[in-house]
Amino acid sequence: EVQVLESGGGLVQPGGSLRLSCAASGFTFNNYAMNWVRQAPGKGPEWVSGISGGGDSTYYADSVKGRFTISRDKSKNTLYLQMNTLRAEDTAVYYCAKDSGSSSFDTFDIWGQGTMVTVSS
Amino acid sequence: DIQMTQYPSSLSASIGDRVTITCRASQSISRSLNWYHQKPGKAPELLIYAASSLQSGVPSRFSGSGSGTDFTLTITSLQPEDFAAYYCQQSFILPLTFGGGTKVEIK
């Protein structure tokens, strides 16, 4: 079964850091781009970041550029999101989402169950 | 960034009804438009990609149409499991952006 499973969410103070992980299984991880999409309470989804299948291309939403870093470990079939200098507006459920292609970022065909990140003092 | 506008923001319908949701892009996106639905407490799920292609496993009562700036999602006979939020998403250019959502509720 194709699936992705996030972990690493929690409560963090403003200005703090957190690293999210996403374990992938059931598909050839290196063949697909991967994304992080977040959803604040009561709001629609927001694309945060994407990384190509080979890991050589990364992209970010302006709202997180310079603060978040996406990466992937081929040997562990795992996607990461390092989040630094967190703000209250980063509070959301963070989803790991598999892309339908290798180097393009367009369609999220598999989603994880999400991990909640709360930024509050 | 491309802005995606959905309407209505919510609607009430009965089992068996035909439902249509509209999504408008702030500029032409060709047919680079996807639809998802999301049940409470769950992750979004892909329904339609490239404006009109049905994702594997999705019932045929769902269909999508449109190109350029105007798109529609149609559910031909609403079922109990279809009461959810629906989102469009453009895949034309980064950053990928979503519409504000349409909540389909039971009448």
Side-chain angles (χ1 to χ4, degrees):
Chain A
E1 181 187 4
V2 176
Q3 62 179 7
V4 294
L5 184 64
E6 306 92 338
S7 60
L11 174 64
V12 61
Q13 292 187 338
S17 298
L18 211 55
R19 188 176 86 154
L20 306 183
S21 300
C22 169
S25 59
F27 63 99
T28 304
F29 185 62
N30 301 345
N31 286 358
Y32 295 94
M34 297 293 294
N35 300 271
W36 289 99
V37 178
R38 69 185 180 184
Q39 188 169 27
K43 303 292 186 181
E46 177 192 15
W47 176 81
V48 171
S49 180
I51 185 169
S52 60
D56 52 331
S57 298
T58 58
Y59 300 90
Y60 301 90
D62 285 346
S63 58
V64 307
K65 199 172 295 182
R67 300 187 299 122
F68 290 12
T69 302
I70 191 171
S71 62
R72 62 194 300 161
D73 185 330
K74 300 175 184 180
S75 66
K76 296 181 179 179
N77 282 3
T78 301
L79 175 73
Y80 301 100
L81 185 67
Q82 177 66 44
M83 304 186 295
N84 298 331
T85 319
L86 283 161
R87 306 167 178 165
E89 55 264 35
D90 295 319
T91 295
V93 175
Y94 283 72
Y95 294 102
C96 168
K98 172 186 169 292
D99 210 287
S100 59
S102 174
S103 57
S104 62
F105 300 92
D106 47 40
T107 302
F108 311 120
D109 60 0
I110 300 293
W111 298 64
Q113 88 290 346
T115 187
M116 182 71 204
V117 172
T118 303
V119 184
S120 175
S121 55
Chain B
D1 298 1
I2 296 177
Q3 307 302 316
M4 306 300 295
T5 303
Q6 279 181 247
Y7 49 92
S9 57
S10 66
L11 64 91
S12 295
S14 300
I15 302 297
D17 282 355
R18 179 186 182 94
V19 169
T20 298
I21 298 169
T22 299
C23 179
R24 176 165 288 168
S26 60
Q27 67 183 73
S28 177
I29 58 171
S30 186
R31 293 178 58 80
S32 301
L33 192 284
N34 304 319
W35 289 98
Y36 304 83
H37 73 172
Q38 183 178 32
K39 298 175 185 178
K42 301 294 186 181
E45 294 179 343
L46 179 65
L47 296 173
I48 302 285
Y49 62 95
S52 62
S53 295
L54 196 66
Q55 173 68 354
S56 175
V58 174
S60 58
R61 63 181 179 270
F62 291 93
S63 64
S65 64
S67 66
T69 60
D70 294 313
F71 301 86
T72 59
L73 172 71
T74 299
I75 310 171
T76 53
S77 179
L78 201 64
Q79 297 301 300
E81 59 268 31
D82 301 335
F83 292 96
Y86 290 79
Y87 296 97
C88 62
Q89 172 245 323
Q90 65 83 14
S91 59
F92 187 72
I93 195 169
L94 293 178
L96 306 178
T97 48
F98 290 83
T102 296
K103 189 173 183 180
V104 176
E105 299 175 312
I106 301 173
K107 182 181 287 184

